[in-house]
Amino acid sequence: MKVKQGFMLREIANNYVVVPVGKAAIDFNGIITLNQTGAFLWEQLQEEISLASLQQKLMAEYEVDEKTALADIKDFIDHLKTNNLLE
Amino acid sequence: MDYASVRNRLIRAAAKTKTPMVGAFELTPSCNLACKMCYVRESFPKKELSTAEWKTLILEAKNAGLLFCLFTGGEIFLRSDFQDIYEFTYDLGMRISLFTNGTLISDEVVNYLKKRKPDLVAITLYGINPHQYQEITGSAQAFSQVSSAIKRLKEAKITVVVRTIAVQTIYRHLDDVINYLKELHLPVSYSLYVGPKRSCLGSSNIERLNPEQLVIYQSQFKQAFGESLTIELSDCLESFRCLAGKSSYFIRWDGMMMPCAMLEYPSFMAKDDFARAWKKLNLAINNVPLCEGYEDCSVRSFCLQCPARRYLEGGFAQCSPYLKAIATLLKEGKQ
């Protein structure tokens, strides 16, 4: 899985926001705010990545157990799917 | 959480870290209309920043934290390079709002806007028929141009906000204007304050309402459309209750950074060093005094005063009789 093209992650004033850029995100209008974990996952999803790899990367970056990492990732992926942000 | 709430939360957070997240860019002082009360329009040519200069400045602003960008004028669509500047800014990751008189929004303009949608296009409405437009802007045909623009933008699913200002021409037809605005089914933003002078001409502004008229105007608009919201700190003892100089700024057509569109002091040249200008502005706003007697003022919670309005009414430290009269009437209305 991978996030769609046409978005930029920005860190401003200790906040992470994702904004559309270019013509690719023509149907999206607004911003997405992310916490630090969300921003990390968003960055990993710039390239095609499996759920298992994403889980391993999250566990390597943050001290979380397998179960928590998987639950967090699934929540995040659901959120992206709901907003039609995955390729 | 809706978009406006997220936006407000981010802007408030930016003020805590002194991050310039909100920037208004006056791309040109030139306008194709000649409104009676305008404080911007210049009737003689000025050397505006070039395309390259605006792009450099906007890039520096982005690096400093700009997220919410407003393009204003003058009339922004008079600039032949507007599309270039707009698309450049959008692709840097900015959310953009546009202030326009709505007379130059062709199909071509709508075509590029709908590919990179702005947060909103705010169109100032100066009347509800050609006759009123002629009276206030000097152009009767502007009315049909604006009506067409609103239709085109709505069809393209671009958010349109209609703005009005408190001037005599609107006030004389207040009920008709409000009914017309209701029938548009668009968000309405109304501002109450109009300065005492047209700064470019130095003459008195015959269009602004007297305090009694203004309170009626405010009441009718509030009843029809609710509060016209701006982000302000609560009844605090700071000179700037808004976020000017804390997380927002205004860049004039020549590259000068000001706290807001109405306030030319304190100001610093941002064209060659944005970060330095912001740092200076952020410090300088602390030196702007409150009006005398503010702490003990019985109507301060109702007062429209702010540094820009005090400055225009006679001085930062002075209590303006005009603003005090409005505040007194508003307080009496609440009791």
Short mmCIF file of all heavy atoms in Angstrom, two decimals, chain A residues 2-66:
data_model
loop_
_atom_site.label_atom_id
_atom_site.label_comp_id
_atom_site.label_asym_id
_atom_site.label_seq_id
_atom_site.Cartn_x
_atom_site.Cartn_y
_atom_site.Cartn_z
N LYS A 2 0.22 2.36 -0.39
CA LYS A 2 0.97 3.60 -0.61
C LYS A 2 -0.03 4.76 -0.64
O LYS A 2 -1.15 4.58 -1.11
CB LYS A 2 1.68 3.47 -1.97
CG LYS A 2 2.54 4.61 -2.37
CD LYS A 2 3.11 4.35 -3.77
CE LYS A 2 3.86 5.55 -4.27
NZ LYS A 2 4.29 5.40 -5.65
N VAL A 3 0.40 5.93 -0.14
CA VAL A 3 -0.53 7.07 -0.21
C VAL A 3 -0.50 7.65 -1.63
O VAL A 3 0.48 7.52 -2.36
CB VAL A 3 -0.21 8.19 0.81
CG1 VAL A 3 -0.53 7.77 2.22
CG2 VAL A 3 1.22 8.68 0.68
N LYS A 4 -1.60 8.32 -1.98
CA LYS A 4 -1.71 8.90 -3.32
C LYS A 4 -0.69 10.02 -3.53
O LYS A 4 -0.27 10.66 -2.56
CB LYS A 4 -3.12 9.48 -3.50
CG LYS A 4 -4.16 8.45 -3.81
CD LYS A 4 -5.49 9.13 -4.08
CE LYS A 4 -6.53 8.10 -4.50
NZ LYS A 4 -7.87 8.69 -4.60
N GLN A 5 -0.37 10.26 -4.74
CA GLN A 5 0.48 11.40 -5.09
C GLN A 5 -0.34 12.68 -4.93
O GLN A 5 -1.56 12.65 -4.93
CB GLN A 5 0.94 11.27 -6.55
CG GLN A 5 1.87 10.10 -6.80
CD GLN A 5 3.17 10.24 -6.03
OE1 GLN A 5 3.91 11.19 -6.23
NE2 GLN A 5 3.46 9.29 -5.15
N GLY A 6 0.37 13.80 -4.84
CA GLY A 6 -0.33 15.09 -4.83
C GLY A 6 -0.54 15.66 -3.43
O GLY A 6 -1.38 16.55 -3.26
N PHE A 7 0.22 15.16 -2.46
CA PHE A 7 0.10 15.69 -1.10
C PHE A 7 1.49 15.97 -0.54
O PHE A 7 2.46 15.32 -0.92
CB PHE A 7 -0.63 14.71 -0.18
CG PHE A 7 -2.07 14.52 -0.55
CD1 PHE A 7 -2.43 13.49 -1.41
CD2 PHE A 7 -3.05 15.37 -0.07
CE1 PHE A 7 -3.74 13.31 -1.78
CE2 PHE A 7 -4.37 15.20 -0.43
CZ PHE A 7 -4.73 14.17 -1.29
N MET A 8 1.54 16.93 0.37
CA MET A 8 2.81 17.27 1.01
C MET A 8 2.62 17.28 2.52
O MET A 8 1.65 17.85 3.03
CB MET A 8 3.24 18.67 0.53
CG MET A 8 4.54 19.16 1.12
SD MET A 8 4.81 20.92 0.73
CE MET A 8 5.27 20.82 -0.98
N LEU A 9 3.56 16.64 3.22
CA LEU A 9 3.55 16.68 4.68
C LEU A 9 4.40 17.86 5.13
O LEU A 9 5.55 18.00 4.70
CB LEU A 9 4.13 15.37 5.24
CG LEU A 9 4.35 15.31 6.75
CD1 LEU A 9 3.03 15.37 7.51
CD2 LEU A 9 5.12 14.05 7.13
N ARG A 10 3.82 18.70 5.98
CA ARG A 10 4.59 19.84 6.50
C ARG A 10 4.55 19.86 8.02
O ARG A 10 3.53 19.50 8.62
CB ARG A 10 4.00 21.17 5.97
CG ARG A 10 4.06 21.32 4.46
CD ARG A 10 3.58 22.70 4.03
NE ARG A 10 4.40 23.75 4.62
CZ ARG A 10 4.08 25.04 4.64
NH1 ARG A 10 2.95 25.43 4.09
NH2 ARG A 10 4.87 25.93 5.20
N GLU A 11 5.67 20.25 8.61
CA GLU A 11 5.70 20.43 10.07
C GLU A 11 5.80 21.93 10.34
O GLU A 11 6.76 22.59 9.94
CB GLU A 11 6.90 19.72 10.70
CG GLU A 11 6.87 19.83 12.22
CD GLU A 11 8.12 19.31 12.90
OE1 GLU A 11 9.00 18.77 12.21
OE2 GLU A 11 8.20 19.45 14.13
N ILE A 12 4.77 22.46 10.98
CA ILE A 12 4.74 23.90 11.27
C ILE A 12 4.32 24.10 12.72
O ILE A 12 3.27 23.59 13.13
CB ILE A 12 3.75 24.65 10.35
CG1 ILE A 12 3.94 24.25 8.88
CG2 ILE A 12 3.91 26.16 10.51
CD1 ILE A 12 2.86 24.77 7.96
N ALA A 13 5.09 24.87 13.44
CA ALA A 13 4.77 25.22 14.83
C ALA A 13 4.41 23.97 15.64
O ALA A 13 3.39 23.94 16.34
CB ALA A 13 3.63 26.25 14.88
N ASN A 14 5.23 22.95 15.54
CA ASN A 14 5.06 21.69 16.28
C ASN A 14 3.81 20.92 15.89
O ASN A 14 3.32 20.09 16.67
CB ASN A 14 5.05 21.94 17.80
CG ASN A 14 6.28 22.69 18.25
OD1 ASN A 14 7.37 22.44 17.75
ND2 ASN A 14 6.12 23.62 19.19
N ASN A 15 3.27 21.21 14.73
CA ASN A 15 2.11 20.47 14.22
C ASN A 15 2.45 19.88 12.86
O ASN A 15 3.18 20.49 12.08
CB ASN A 15 0.91 21.42 14.05
CG ASN A 15 0.24 21.72 15.37
OD1 ASN A 15 -0.53 20.93 15.89
ND2 ASN A 15 0.56 22.88 15.93
N TYR A 16 1.90 18.70 12.62
CA TYR A 16 2.08 18.08 11.30
C TYR A 16 0.79 18.24 10.51
O TYR A 16 -0.29 17.90 11.00
CB TYR A 16 2.39 16.59 11.45
CG TYR A 16 3.73 16.32 12.09
CD1 TYR A 16 3.83 16.07 13.45
CD2 TYR A 16 4.90 16.35 11.33
CE1 TYR A 16 5.07 15.84 14.05
CE2 TYR A 16 6.13 16.11 11.91
CZ TYR A 16 6.21 15.86 13.27
OH TYR A 16 7.44 15.63 13.85
N VAL A 17 0.92 18.76 9.30
CA VAL A 17 -0.26 18.89 8.43
C VAL A 17 0.08 18.33 7.05
O VAL A 17 1.22 18.42 6.58
CB VAL A 17 -0.74 20.36 8.29
CG1 VAL A 17 -1.23 20.92 9.60
CG2 VAL A 17 0.34 21.25 7.71
N VAL A 18 -0.93 17.73 6.43
CA VAL A 18 -0.80 17.27 5.06
C VAL A 18 -1.70 18.14 4.19
O VAL A 18 -2.88 18.35 4.52
CB VAL A 18 -1.21 15.79 4.93
CG1 VAL A 18 -1.22 15.37 3.47
CG2 VAL A 18 -0.26 14.90 5.72
N VAL A 19 -1.11 18.68 3.13
CA VAL A 19 -1.88 19.58 2.25
C VAL A 19 -1.78 19.10 0.81
O VAL A 19 -0.77 18.52 0.42
CB VAL A 19 -1.34 21.04 2.35
CG1 VAL A 19 -1.74 21.68 3.65
CG2 VAL A 19 0.17 21.08 2.17
N PRO A 20 -2.80 19.37 0.01
CA PRO A 20 -2.71 18.99 -1.40
C PRO A 20 -1.78 19.94 -2.16
O PRO A 20 -1.73 21.13 -1.86
CB PRO A 20 -4.16 19.13 -1.89
CG PRO A 20 -4.79 20.10 -0.97
CD PRO A 20 -4.09 19.97 0.35
N VAL A 21 -1.06 19.41 -3.12
CA VAL A 21 -0.24 20.24 -4.02
C VAL A 21 -0.45 19.75 -5.46
O VAL A 21 -0.77 18.59 -5.68
CB VAL A 21 1.27 20.18 -3.67
CG1 VAL A 21 1.55 20.88 -2.36
CG2 VAL A 21 1.77 18.75 -3.62
N GLY A 22 -0.26 20.65 -6.40
CA GLY A 22 -0.42 20.29 -7.81
C GLY A 22 -1.86 19.96 -8.16
O GLY A 22 -2.78 20.23 -7.38
N LYS A 23 -2.05 19.39 -9.35
CA LYS A 23 -3.40 19.12 -9.84
C LYS A 23 -3.90 17.73 -9.47
O LYS A 23 -5.05 17.40 -9.70
CB LYS A 23 -3.44 19.28 -11.36
CG LYS A 23 -3.28 20.72 -11.81
CD LYS A 23 -3.48 20.86 -13.30
CE LYS A 23 -2.24 20.47 -14.07
NZ LYS A 23 -2.33 20.75 -15.50
N ALA A 24 -2.98 16.90 -8.90
CA ALA A 24 -3.33 15.50 -8.67
C ALA A 24 -4.46 15.34 -7.65
O ALA A 24 -5.28 14.42 -7.74
CB ALA A 24 -2.11 14.72 -8.22
N ALA A 25 -4.48 16.22 -6.67
CA ALA A 25 -5.45 16.09 -5.57
C ALA A 25 -6.67 16.97 -5.81
O ALA A 25 -7.17 17.63 -4.92
CB ALA A 25 -4.79 16.43 -4.26
N ILE A 26 -7.16 16.95 -7.02
CA ILE A 26 -8.23 17.88 -7.43
C ILE A 26 -9.50 17.73 -6.60
O ILE A 26 -10.24 18.68 -6.39
CB ILE A 26 -8.50 17.70 -8.95
CG1 ILE A 26 -9.37 18.84 -9.48
CG2 ILE A 26 -9.11 16.35 -9.25
CD1 ILE A 26 -9.38 18.93 -11.00
N ASP A 27 -9.74 16.51 -6.10
CA ASP A 27 -10.97 16.28 -5.33
C ASP A 27 -10.81 16.55 -3.85
O ASP A 27 -11.77 16.45 -3.09
CB ASP A 27 -11.45 14.82 -5.52
CG ASP A 27 -11.83 14.57 -6.96
OD1 ASP A 27 -12.36 15.51 -7.60
OD2 ASP A 27 -11.59 13.46 -7.45
N PHE A 28 -9.59 16.86 -3.42
CA PHE A 28 -9.36 17.08 -2.00
C PHE A 28 -9.20 18.56 -1.74
O PHE A 28 -8.42 19.24 -2.39
CB PHE A 28 -8.11 16.33 -1.53
CG PHE A 28 -7.90 16.41 -0.05
CD1 PHE A 28 -8.44 15.44 0.79
CD2 PHE A 28 -7.20 17.46 0.52
CE1 PHE A 28 -8.27 15.52 2.17
CE2 PHE A 28 -7.03 17.55 1.89
CZ PHE A 28 -7.57 16.57 2.71
N ASN A 29 -9.93 19.07 -0.77
CA ASN A 29 -9.82 20.48 -0.43
C ASN A 29 -9.75 20.61 1.08
O ASN A 29 -10.69 20.24 1.76
CB ASN A 29 -11.01 21.26 -0.98
CG ASN A 29 -10.74 22.75 -1.02
OD1 ASN A 29 -9.59 23.17 -0.99
ND2 ASN A 29 -11.79 23.53 -1.09
N GLY A 30 -8.65 21.08 1.60
CA GLY A 30 -8.54 21.23 3.04
C GLY A 30 -7.18 20.77 3.52
O GLY A 30 -6.21 20.79 2.77
N ILE A 31 -7.11 20.38 4.78
CA ILE A 31 -5.86 19.88 5.34
C ILE A 31 -6.13 18.67 6.22
O ILE A 31 -7.25 18.46 6.67
CB ILE A 31 -5.12 20.96 6.18
CG1 ILE A 31 -6.04 21.52 7.27
CG2 ILE A 31 -4.56 22.06 5.35
CD1 ILE A 31 -5.34 22.49 8.19
N ILE A 32 -5.10 17.87 6.43
CA ILE A 32 -5.18 16.75 7.35
C ILE A 32 -4.14 17.03 8.44
O ILE A 32 -2.98 17.36 8.12
CB ILE A 32 -4.79 15.44 6.65
CG1 ILE A 32 -5.66 15.21 5.41
CG2 ILE A 32 -4.88 14.25 7.61
CD1 ILE A 32 -5.00 14.30 4.39
N THR A 33 -4.55 16.96 9.69
CA THR A 33 -3.56 17.12 10.76
C THR A 33 -3.18 15.74 11.26
O THR A 33 -4.02 14.84 11.37
CB THR A 33 -4.12 17.97 11.93
OG1 THR A 33 -5.34 17.38 12.38
CG2 THR A 33 -4.37 19.39 11.52
N LEU A 34 -1.92 15.56 11.57
CA LEU A 34 -1.41 14.28 12.04
C LEU A 34 -0.63 14.48 13.33
O LEU A 34 -0.01 15.54 13.52
CB LEU A 34 -0.47 13.65 11.01
CG LEU A 34 -1.04 13.34 9.61
CD1 LEU A 34 0.07 12.84 8.70
CD2 LEU A 34 -2.15 12.30 9.71
N ASN A 35 -0.62 13.44 14.18
CA ASN A 35 0.31 13.49 15.31
C ASN A 35 1.66 12.95 14.82
O ASN A 35 1.82 12.60 13.64
CB ASN A 35 -0.24 12.72 16.52
CG ASN A 35 -0.50 11.25 16.18
OD1 ASN A 35 0.05 10.72 15.20
ND2 ASN A 35 -1.33 10.60 16.97
N GLN A 36 2.61 12.84 15.74
CA GLN A 36 3.97 12.46 15.34
C GLN A 36 3.99 11.05 14.73
O GLN A 36 4.67 10.80 13.73
CB GLN A 36 4.88 12.51 16.55
CG GLN A 36 6.32 12.63 16.18
CD GLN A 36 7.22 12.92 17.38
OE1 GLN A 36 6.80 12.77 18.53
NE2 GLN A 36 8.44 13.32 17.11
N THR A 37 3.22 10.14 15.32
CA THR A 37 3.17 8.77 14.79
C THR A 37 2.54 8.76 13.40
O THR A 37 3.02 8.07 12.49
CB THR A 37 2.33 7.87 15.73
OG1 THR A 37 2.75 8.09 17.07
CG2 THR A 37 2.49 6.41 15.38
N GLY A 38 1.46 9.52 13.26
CA GLY A 38 0.79 9.61 11.97
C GLY A 38 1.73 10.15 10.90
O GLY A 38 1.76 9.66 9.76
N ALA A 39 2.52 11.16 11.28
CA ALA A 39 3.47 11.74 10.33
C ALA A 39 4.53 10.71 9.93
O ALA A 39 4.91 10.62 8.76
CB ALA A 39 4.13 12.97 10.95
N PHE A 40 4.95 9.92 10.92
CA PHE A 40 5.95 8.86 10.63
C PHE A 40 5.35 7.85 9.65
O PHE A 40 5.99 7.48 8.65
CB PHE A 40 6.35 8.18 11.95
CG PHE A 40 7.28 7.01 11.74
CD1 PHE A 40 8.64 7.22 11.51
CD2 PHE A 40 6.79 5.71 11.76
CE1 PHE A 40 9.49 6.13 11.30
CE2 PHE A 40 7.64 4.62 11.55
CZ PHE A 40 9.00 4.84 11.32
N LEU A 41 4.14 7.42 9.92
CA LEU A 41 3.50 6.44 9.03
C LEU A 41 3.29 7.02 7.64
O LEU A 41 3.48 6.35 6.63
CB LEU A 41 2.16 5.97 9.63
CG LEU A 41 2.27 5.14 10.91
CD1 LEU A 41 0.88 4.90 11.52
CD2 LEU A 41 2.97 3.81 10.65
N TRP A 42 2.87 8.29 7.60
CA TRP A 42 2.65 8.94 6.29
C TRP A 42 3.94 8.93 5.47
O TRP A 42 3.93 8.64 4.28
CB TRP A 42 2.17 10.38 6.51
CG TRP A 42 1.92 11.12 5.23
CD1 TRP A 42 2.84 11.81 4.49
CD2 TRP A 42 0.69 11.21 4.51
NE1 TRP A 42 2.26 12.34 3.36
CE2 TRP A 42 0.94 11.98 3.34
CE3 TRP A 42 -0.60 10.73 4.73
CZ2 TRP A 42 -0.05 12.28 2.41
CZ3 TRP A 42 -1.59 11.03 3.81
CH2 TRP A 42 -1.32 11.78 2.67
N GLU A 43 5.06 9.22 6.13
CA GLU A 43 6.34 9.23 5.41
C GLU A 43 6.70 7.85 4.88
O GLU A 43 7.19 7.72 3.77
CB GLU A 43 7.45 9.76 6.34
CG GLU A 43 7.40 11.28 6.45
CD GLU A 43 8.49 11.85 7.33
OE1 GLU A 43 9.00 11.10 8.19
OE2 GLU A 43 8.82 13.03 7.16
N GLN A 44 6.43 6.80 5.69
CA GLN A 44 6.74 5.43 5.23
C GLN A 44 5.86 5.06 4.03
O GLN A 44 6.29 4.30 3.16
CB GLN A 44 6.51 4.41 6.36
CG GLN A 44 7.24 4.71 7.66
CD GLN A 44 8.71 5.05 7.44
OE1 GLN A 44 9.43 4.32 6.76
NE2 GLN A 44 9.13 6.18 8.00
N LEU A 45 4.66 5.62 4.03
CA LEU A 45 3.70 5.26 2.97
C LEU A 45 3.92 6.04 1.66
O LEU A 45 3.13 5.93 0.74
CB LEU A 45 2.28 5.47 3.48
CG LEU A 45 1.78 4.39 4.45
CD1 LEU A 45 0.61 4.91 5.28
CD2 LEU A 45 1.38 3.12 3.70
N GLN A 46 5.00 6.79 1.59
CA GLN A 46 5.33 7.46 0.33
C GLN A 46 5.76 6.43 -0.73
O GLN A 46 5.66 6.67 -1.92
CB GLN A 46 6.46 8.48 0.53
CG GLN A 46 6.09 9.66 1.42
CD GLN A 46 4.89 10.42 0.90
OE1 GLN A 46 4.90 10.94 -0.20
NE2 GLN A 46 3.83 10.48 1.70
N GLU A 47 6.29 5.31 -0.24
CA GLU A 47 6.67 4.21 -1.13
C GLU A 47 5.79 3.01 -0.80
O GLU A 47 5.30 2.88 0.32
CB GLU A 47 8.15 3.83 -0.90
CG GLU A 47 9.13 4.97 -1.08
CD GLU A 47 9.22 5.43 -2.53
OE1 GLU A 47 8.93 4.61 -3.43
OE2 GLU A 47 9.55 6.61 -2.76
N GLU A 48 5.63 2.12 -1.78
CA GLU A 48 4.85 0.90 -1.56
C GLU A 48 5.43 0.13 -0.36
O GLU A 48 6.65 -0.10 -0.30
CB GLU A 48 4.90 0.04 -2.84
CG GLU A 48 3.99 -1.15 -2.83
CD GLU A 48 2.51 -0.78 -2.82
OE1 GLU A 48 2.13 0.20 -3.49
OE2 GLU A 48 1.75 -1.47 -2.12
N ILE A 49 4.56 -0.25 0.57
CA ILE A 49 5.04 -0.95 1.77
C ILE A 49 3.95 -1.91 2.27
O ILE A 49 2.76 -1.61 2.17
CB ILE A 49 5.46 0.07 2.87
CG1 ILE A 49 6.16 -0.63 4.04
CG2 ILE A 49 4.28 0.89 3.37
CD1 ILE A 49 6.84 0.33 5.02
N SER A 50 4.36 -3.03 2.81
CA SER A 50 3.39 -4.01 3.32
C SER A 50 3.01 -3.66 4.76
O SER A 50 3.74 -2.91 5.44
CB SER A 50 3.98 -5.41 3.28
OG SER A 50 5.03 -5.49 4.22
N LEU A 51 1.93 -4.24 5.18
CA LEU A 51 1.47 -4.00 6.56
C LEU A 51 2.52 -4.49 7.56
O LEU A 51 2.83 -3.80 8.55
CB LEU A 51 0.14 -4.76 6.77
CG LEU A 51 -0.62 -4.46 8.04
CD1 LEU A 51 -1.04 -3.00 8.11
CD2 LEU A 51 -1.86 -5.36 8.15
N ALA A 52 3.12 -5.66 7.26
CA ALA A 52 4.12 -6.23 8.18
C ALA A 52 5.35 -5.33 8.26
O ALA A 52 5.88 -5.09 9.36
CB ALA A 52 4.50 -7.63 7.69
N SER A 53 5.80 -4.80 7.13
CA SER A 53 6.98 -3.92 7.13
C SER A 53 6.69 -2.63 7.89
O SER A 53 7.53 -2.12 8.64
CB SER A 53 7.38 -3.55 5.71
OG SER A 53 7.73 -4.68 5.00
N LEU A 54 5.49 -2.13 7.67
CA LEU A 54 5.10 -0.90 8.37
C LEU A 54 5.09 -1.13 9.89
O LEU A 54 5.57 -0.28 10.66
CB LEU A 54 3.69 -0.48 7.88
CG LEU A 54 3.29 0.98 8.04
CD1 LEU A 54 4.30 1.95 7.45
CD2 LEU A 54 1.93 1.22 7.39
N GLN A 55 4.59 -2.29 10.26
CA GLN A 55 4.55 -2.65 11.69
C GLN A 55 5.97 -2.71 12.26
O GLN A 55 6.24 -2.18 13.33
CB GLN A 55 3.85 -4.01 11.84
CG GLN A 55 3.55 -4.38 13.28
CD GLN A 55 2.88 -5.76 13.35
OE1 GLN A 55 2.80 -6.50 12.35
NE2 GLN A 55 2.41 -6.12 14.51
N GLN A 56 6.89 -3.35 11.52
CA GLN A 56 8.27 -3.47 11.98
C GLN A 56 8.91 -2.08 12.11
O GLN A 56 9.61 -1.80 13.09
CB GLN A 56 9.09 -4.32 10.98
CG GLN A 56 8.75 -5.80 11.00
CD GLN A 56 8.86 -6.42 12.39
OE1 GLN A 56 9.83 -6.18 13.10
NE2 GLN A 56 7.85 -7.18 12.80
N LYS A 57 8.65 -1.23 11.15
CA LYS A 57 9.26 0.12 11.17
C LYS A 57 8.73 0.93 12.35
O LYS A 57 9.49 1.64 13.00
CB LYS A 57 8.96 0.85 9.86
CG LYS A 57 9.73 0.26 8.69
CD LYS A 57 9.93 1.29 7.60
CE LYS A 57 10.84 0.70 6.53
NZ LYS A 57 11.53 1.68 5.73
N LEU A 58 7.44 0.79 12.59
CA LEU A 58 6.85 1.54 13.71
C LEU A 58 7.43 1.06 15.05
O LEU A 58 7.73 1.87 15.93
CB LEU A 58 5.32 1.39 13.70
CG LEU A 58 4.56 2.29 14.67
CD1 LEU A 58 4.74 3.76 14.33
CD2 LEU A 58 3.07 1.96 14.68
N MET A 59 7.58 -0.26 15.16
CA MET A 59 8.13 -0.83 16.40
C MET A 59 9.60 -0.43 16.59
O MET A 59 10.07 -0.25 17.71
CB MET A 59 7.99 -2.36 16.38
CG MET A 59 6.55 -2.80 16.57
SD MET A 59 6.28 -4.53 16.13
CE MET A 59 7.34 -5.35 17.29
N ALA A 60 10.32 -0.30 15.47
CA ALA A 60 11.72 0.10 15.56
C ALA A 60 11.85 1.58 15.95
O ALA A 60 12.78 1.97 16.65
CB ALA A 60 12.41 -0.14 14.21
N GLU A 61 10.88 2.39 15.51
CA GLU A 61 10.95 3.82 15.77
C GLU A 61 10.44 4.16 17.17
O GLU A 61 11.00 5.02 17.86
CB GLU A 61 10.11 4.57 14.71
CG GLU A 61 10.15 6.07 14.81
CD GLU A 61 11.48 6.67 14.35
OE1 GLU A 61 12.27 5.95 13.72
OE2 GLU A 61 11.72 7.85 14.67
N TYR A 62 9.35 3.51 17.54
CA TYR A 62 8.74 3.79 18.86
C TYR A 62 8.72 2.50 19.68
O TYR A 62 8.60 1.40 19.13
CB TYR A 62 7.31 4.29 18.69
CG TYR A 62 7.22 5.57 17.89
CD1 TYR A 62 6.90 5.53 16.54
CD2 TYR A 62 7.46 6.80 18.48
CE1 TYR A 62 6.82 6.69 15.79
CE2 TYR A 62 7.38 7.97 17.74
CZ TYR A 62 7.06 7.91 16.39
OH TYR A 62 7.00 9.06 15.65
N GLU A 63 8.81 2.63 20.94
CA GLU A 63 8.84 1.44 21.79
C GLU A 63 7.40 0.97 22.05
O GLU A 63 6.81 1.23 23.10
CB GLU A 63 9.56 1.74 23.10
CG GLU A 63 11.05 1.90 22.89
CD GLU A 63 11.80 2.14 24.19
OE1 GLU A 63 11.16 2.16 25.25
OE2 GLU A 63 13.02 2.32 24.12
N VAL A 64 6.85 0.30 21.08
CA VAL A 64 5.48 -0.23 21.23
C VAL A 64 5.49 -1.72 20.91
O VAL A 64 6.32 -2.21 20.13
CB VAL A 64 4.47 0.47 20.28
CG1 VAL A 64 4.19 1.87 20.73
CG2 VAL A 64 4.96 0.45 18.84
N ASP A 65 4.56 -2.44 21.54
CA ASP A 65 4.51 -3.89 21.27
C ASP A 65 3.79 -4.14 19.94
O ASP A 65 3.17 -3.24 19.36
CB ASP A 65 3.82 -4.62 22.43
CG ASP A 65 2.42 -4.11 22.67
OD1 ASP A 65 1.62 -4.09 21.70
OD2 ASP A 65 2.10 -3.71 23.81
N GLU A 66 3.88 -5.35 19.48
CA GLU A 66 3.32 -5.74 18.18
C GLU A 66 1.83 -5.42 18.06
O GLU A 66 1.36 -4.88 17.06
CB GLU A 66 3.50 -7.25 17.95
CG GLU A 66 4.86 -7.62 17.41
CD GLU A 66 4.94 -9.10 17.09
OE1 GLU A 66 3.94 -9.67 16.62
OE2 GLU A 66 6.01 -9.68 17.32
#
